[in-house]
Every structure is written in C-alpha cells, then in structure tokens.
Amino acid sequence: MVSFKTSLPIIGLAAYAQAAPAISTANSSANSTSSNNSKINWTQCPAVVANASVYPVECAKYGVPLDYTDEKSNKTTLLSLIRVPAVKQPSLGSILLNYGGPGEEAIFTTAQTSLILSMFSGGRYDLVAFDPRHFSGVSDTLPFTCFTSDFQQQSVMEALGAAPQHDNREAIGHAWAAAGLFGQACAATQNETGSLIGTAFAARDVLSITTALGEQDKVRFWGFSYGTTLGATLVSMFPEKIEGVILDGVQNPHEYYHADADFEEWTQSDEVFSAIFEHCLKNADRCPLARRGNSTAELEKVYWSLYDKLRYDPIPAGTAILDHYALNQLSSSALYTSYSWPNFTTGIDMLLGSPKDYDLDFLAGFLAPLQIVDDTSARAGERVIQSFNGIHCGDRVNRLSSLEEFMPVSQRLGQISRIMGTTEGPVAMTCAQWKIDAKERYKGDFKAAPRKPVLLVGNSYDGHTPIVSARNVSSGFQGSTVLEVKGYGHASIGLPSKCTVQKYSAYWINGTMPEPNTVCEVDYKPWSNVTWPSVAKEIGWELPNSKADATGSSVVTRMVRAAV
C-alpha cells in the first residue's frame, strides 16, 4: 500500500490544532469564487474533524453517478467531502486532493494537514477532498467487504499478512492459495460493486465534483502517492480541462495498470533503509544503536541478525508476536518518514539487548502498531486491505494462471528489494488471481498535452516511490517539469523546506514552473528538530497562537501505527 498519509511529518501540527483557536475566515463561502455557482451544500463538520484543523473546515455530502458507463441510469453513490476555505480571500478557486492508497480516507487527513496544504497553495485556494466511493461508513451504496464471516476474513487476511521471502517456496505457495481464496470470496460477494470503484471512475468523480463546485473546465488536482496515478489518469483522460496539477511522490502508472507487480516502486527501498543506519552513525550521540557498529554495513548486519533470530525465536509482545514478519512491517514503515528513524533505531537497539534491560514503556509504544486493540479495529483494518486490493486489482490488466507463472515475479521482487520485495508479494499474488475487472480502465499510454502544464515532485531518496517514476511520467506530459527535493521519505510534503513551499505556491498562484533540474534543499535533517510550524514562522506565515509543544512525538507514533 502506498499512502501519503503515513509519511506526513505533521510534527507539532496536531498540538497546534488542539490548542489553538481557528483563524477566522469570515464569510469565506460567500467570498469564494468557487462557490458562487456551487451545487454543493457545505455544512459544519463533526467536532472530531473540526478540532483536527488549525483552520475552519466545512463538510458536505454529494452524489455522483454510480456507473459512468451506463448513460441511462440515474443511480448515484454518495461521497463525503471536506473543504478548507482559502485563508486569504477572495479565493482563486478550488484544488481537489487525493492522498493515495488506493482507497485512503481524506476527510480527517485534510483537516489535520490544513496548515501545510494552505501554506503550499499560498492560502489562495479552497482545498477540497473526498473519501473514495467505497469508503466504509460513508457510503452505503458501495461497501466493499468480501467475506460473509469475521472468521473467514481473519484467516485469509492473516495468511496474506505473513509476507514470505522470495526463496521460501512453501510459504509462497501457502500465500498464493490464500490470495486465490481472497479473489474467489470477492468475486462471490462483490462482483458488481468491485467493478465500480476503479481509478477511471475516481477521475470522473473529480470531474463531477469540480463541475458541482462551479468550475467545470478548470480542474485543479493535487495527488500524493497512488493519488499521482489517479492524477496521471485524470490528465490523460481530460487534458483539455486541466487548470493545474501537482503529482507528489509519483507512482509508475504504467506498472500500476499493466505489470505483474509494482516493481519500480521498490528500487530505492534498500538504499533508503541503509540511510537509516548511516544517519544513526552521524548522530551517534543521540542514536543508541550506533554503539553496535562502526559502519553502515555493520549496523545493517546487526539488524539482519535480529531478523534471523526472530524468524526462529519470536517474542510474545502484548496481543502480537514479534517475529521476522512483524519486524519487516516496522522496518517498511520507517521508510515513510525519517522522523521515525530515532524511535526505530532505539527500538532495534533495545531488542538486541537483554530483556531485563528493556524499557517497557518505550517498547509498548514502539510495538503499538502491531497490537490488536479490539475486534472492531481489527476488522476495520482488514476491510481497508480489501478495498485497496479491490481498486488496484480491478484496475490491473495482467492475470496469471498458476503459481509457476508467479514465481519469476516473486524472484524479481526479492532481487529488487530485500525490505519491500516481500511486502509487495501478497498484493501481486492477489491481483494475479483477481476475478473482477473495473468497468472502465484508462487504456492509453499516459502521453498528453494538458491545457496547463503538470508539476511532478519527488524526493531524492524515496523508498516507496522513487524519483525515476516522476521522470518517467513527466516524459509523457507535454510541458511538465520534475522538481527534486533533496531528502528522505515518501512525498516531498513530508520534508519541511522553505524552497519547496516557494516552488509550490509559485505554481499554484502564478502558474510558474521551476526551471528544469531544480533541486530543493530541505530544512529538516534526520534527528533534527525542524518542524513545519518552525518553517512557517521563518517564511512569515501566520500561525495560530499556541503554547503547545511542537516536538510531535505522539504524531510520529500515530503515523507509524497507520503505516503498519
């Protein structure tokens, strides 16, 4: 799963949202150019959403066509929307956002990141996002739940959760069978719904909402992670309507639709993983793990010794078992954001020591992402996985008929990345045996001449969507440019940087593209205390008054928990 949400270093932002009164944007709806002809009825958001934002937010429900391929049908599916009105009025229009997944929620994420998003857009646009059409608890029209019993759901999801190494033929065979059961269950219960949740329909949902906002031929879109595949599909399907698009943390859409697995996504994963240990040594006075080696290679060897130990001697940890699969989950999550590296390396160092020396309070937090809190949360997490596969596998064209055909895929994934190759395996197995096709797929080559140029953004070191993917997509979009951000993590907005804010806002407000080969330095370095609020102060962006602590340790913990 490729999700921008888990990489956001909203360090200090949760504290600001909880402690600070919202800045007034009185009569913002009346002053907004995007709402004069709007068909959407904006109302007050639930308190849990409103309290997560430093700025006022509005919520709405809006019906979009259920099946865009059936022109005779008047059936609709209801979407939940959120809007952050432009901080600086009058608004220049609306920007629609998607945070990835596929299938990631959008309402709470938009509220929680309203400071960063407003700052990046110069405060001149209404920021609009919507939960995907399948999203559980929002739309009763398209719930995507494949299993008829919790027991069946749990057994299949657990079998797929143990991502096997590419050389473990027995475990791969077991996972392949579980993926087949998954596909059969979804085909039996979700054959119709599963055909209505694909990316092409999501692109049309963006267009429908833009039209409802009164901006029919001015589509502005901002996509992160999988949201970049949605954005690339949108640009390719409707190039004449593009008023502005930024794609950040770019996924390879060619592979997303047409490959046997998302191979390119993991080409930098091991390099970024090595950087964790490299920067640990550079910050040895604050990284306890540094005492266990004199080089990056030595620290990595120590990590893999722990991995091998847990493979045969796992540790009971609360409601979970800390084995090599669980350790790999924690490690893959650490690739999302370098803000998590201090906690990750401290946890690894502790696990390498004697149990009598464990800091139990720290370990409880470190291992919290692995814990099953309650049955409701466990089932909800499993439904997220089902929705992700329902979208991705319904979009994917390729199918494989046997385990023998899949084995070269597994081998290739293992050769690309030791850390992430195993994580991708169960997704690829499921899609290979999927039985539901999206009713509409984009079938082109992602070559288009949009009315306004597209800005693609990538980090120099992204273990989930390497910058090469941004360059690949850019080669097909006439007039586009790639902005490189020199830092570690998934999506550039996860790295506080005055330069990136300037390039983003110049694009949104003036349509100014960065010069080719522009590289933005970042203000945050691993183990430093730089946060988005501190960068905002440096550039003179008005912040709500807050006495809250901006270290954001609780936010990092929540981000890592979400990733796992």
Side-chain angles (χ1 to χ4, degrees):
M1 180 180 292
V2 185
S3 166
F4 151 80
K5 178 182 175 182
T6 54
S7 70
L8 273 176
I10 39 180
I11 308 302
L13 294 186
Y16 273 96
Q18 293 166 5
I23 294 176
S24 174
T25 54
N27 300 318
S28 58
S29 294
N31 292 332
S32 172
T33 60
S34 65
S35 53
N36 293 335
N37 301 311
S38 178
K39 298 178 182 178
I40 299 174
N41 181 28
W42 297 100
T43 60
Q44 186 175 357
C45 289
V48 67
V49 175
N51 292 340
S53 176
V54 299
Y55 297 128
V57 290
E58 302 166 323
C59 290
K61 306 280 188 183
Y62 185 72
V64 297
L66 176 64
D67 184 353
Y68 286 102
T69 65
D70 187 352
E71 297 180 357
K72 296 180 180 179
S73 174
N74 59 3
K75 292 181 180 180
T76 61
T77 183
L78 202 62
L79 302 179
S80 285
L81 287 75
I82 186 170
R83 175 168 70 173
V84 183
V87 175
K88 301 176 182 178
Q89 295 291 331
S91 168
L92 297 178
S94 299
I95 301 171
L96 272 72
L97 298 104
N98 181 279
Y99 303 105
E104 189 67 74
E105 69 83 29
I107 303 301
F108 189 76
T109 300
T110 302
Q112 197 178 33
T113 58
S114 60
L115 171 63
I116 301 176
L117 299 174
S118 295
M119 186 164 57
F120 268 64
S121 57
R124 296 303 310 276
Y125 287 92
D126 300 334
L127 304 172
V128 178
F130 61 94
D131 282 338
R133 48 175 43 212
H134 72 277
F135 202 73
S136 179
V138 173
S139 170
D140 293 330
T141 311
L142 292 175
F144 192 83
T145 304
C146 298
F147 300 98
T148 56
S149 74
D150 286 346
F151 173 76
Q152 183 191 26
Q153 175 174 293
Q154 180 180 352
S155 62
V156 173
M157 292 295 99
E158 285 185 354
L160 284 171
Q165 291 287 347
H166 70 278
D167 57 353
N168 189 338
R169 179 62 183 265
E170 181 180 354
I172 292 173
H174 187 76
W176 174 264
L181 286 176
F182 185 13
Q184 292 170 17
C186 293
T189 61
Q190 299 294 321
N191 195 50
E192 180 64 20
T193 296
S195 68
L196 300 171
I197 60 176
T199 299
F201 275 19
R204 293 189 184 277
D205 287 344
V206 170
L207 201 63
S208 294
I209 293 170
T210 300
T211 301
L213 289 167
E215 303 181 56
Q216 182 169 356
D217 294 319
K218 291 187 176 182
V219 177
R220 302 180 195 88
F221 180 82
W222 190 353
F224 304 93
S225 206
Y226 155 81
T228 64
T229 291
L230 172 56
T233 303
L234 177 72
V235 171
S236 300
M237 289 175 66
F238 309 108
E240 75 285 355
K241 297 182 182 294
I242 299 304
E243 184 70 11
V245 167
I246 291 183
L247 305 179
D248 189 344
V250 182
Q251 186 179 41
N252 184 325
H254 303 279
E255 287 194 344
Y256 174 87
Y257 283 105
H258 298 291
D260 292 324
D262 296 302
F263 298 109
E264 191 172 85
E265 283 189 18
W266 319 116
T267 52
Q268 270 194 314
S269 301
D270 290 0
E271 179 184 3
V272 175
F273 188 64
S274 295
I276 298 175
F277 305 105
E278 175 189 347
H279 284 273
C280 173
L281 288 170
K282 290 180 178 179
N283 296 274
D285 58 328
R286 290 175 290 172
C287 182
L289 184 64
R291 63 195 170 98
R292 299 187 183 274
N294 295 315
S295 67
T296 299
E298 287 182 11
L299 289 185
E300 276 198 79
K301 185 177 180 179
V302 167
Y303 167 85
W304 288 110
S305 70
L306 175 64
Y307 180 92
D308 289 336
K309 178 179 182 295
L310 292 175
R311 187 172 187 173
Y312 301 105
D313 186 15
I315 300 171
T319 60
I321 295 175
L322 179 58
D323 57 10
H324 60 304
Y325 295 130
L327 181 64
N328 186 260
Q329 285 182 309
L330 295 171
S331 303
S332 63
S333 298
L335 302 184
Y336 273 102
T337 168
S338 51
Y339 277 102
S340 68
W341 293 1
N343 271 6
F344 175 73
T345 51
T346 299
I348 297 301
D349 178 70
M350 201 169 293
L351 291 171
L352 286 164
S354 171
K356 66 182 178 61
D357 297 325
Y358 286 174
D359 180 334
L360 297 181
D361 288 337
F362 176 87
L363 276 183
F366 179 64
L367 301 176
L370 304 174
Q371 305 301 322
I372 301 172
V373 179
D374 52 54
D375 288 346
T376 301
S377 299
R379 301 295 85 78
E382 290 165 355
R383 285 193 293 272
V384 169
I385 296 172
Q386 292 173 64
S387 299
F388 166 83
N389 283 276
I391 298 170
H392 194 350
C393 299
D395 282 337
R396 178 161 282 171
V397 175
N398 288 23
R399 301 285 185 257
L400 301 175
S401 60
S402 69
L403 176 59
E404 290 303 318
E405 279 193 279
F406 178 77
M407 287 307 297
V409 177
S410 180
Q411 294 292 327
R412 184 179 173 189
L413 287 170
Q415 291 165 3
I416 289 172
S417 173
R418 190 176 183 184
I419 285 291
M420 294 304 300
T422 58
T423 302
E424 171 70 12
V427 178
M429 293 180 193
T430 301
C431 290
Q433 301 177 77
W434 201 249
K435 301 180 183 303
I436 307 171
D437 293 335
K439 279 201 170 183
E440 181 182 15
R441 290 188 182 110
Y442 171 67
K443 298 179 180 179
D445 56 5
F446 293 99
K447 292 183 179 179
R451 185 160 59 89
K452 295 291 180 67
V454 175
L455 175 59
L456 300 102
V457 188
N459 293 350
S460 301
Y461 311 101
D462 187 332
H464 286 265
T465 50
I467 194 169
V468 65
S469 298
R471 303 197 194 284
N472 288 343
V473 175
S474 176
S475 67
F477 291 159
Q478 184 175 312
S480 66
T481 296
V482 175
L483 172 65
E484 181 175 348
V485 179
K486 196 173 182 181
Y488 296 91
H490 180 44
S492 73
I493 204 169
L495 289 165
S497 164
K498 294 186 287 291
C499 173
T500 313
V501 172
Q502 189 274 324
K503 301 301 181 186
Y504 258 86
S505 58
Y507 175 83
W508 283 126
I509 295 175
N510 304 316
T512 303
M513 299 287 282
E515 291 295 323
N517 303 314
T518 296
V519 178
C520 270
E521 297 291 335
V522 298
D523 296 285
Y524 171 79
K525 307 294 182 184
W527 272 267
S528 77
N529 295 319
V530 177
T531 66
W532 271 120
S534 61
V535 168
K537 289 178 181 178
E538 283 191 54
I539 65 175
W541 186 267
E542 183 182 358
L543 287 171
N545 295 322
S546 176
K547 297 180 181 179
D549 172 61
T551 59
S553 58
S554 62
V555 179
V556 170
T557 300
R558 185 163 61 252
M559 283 160 32
V560 175
R561 184 180 298 118
V564 175

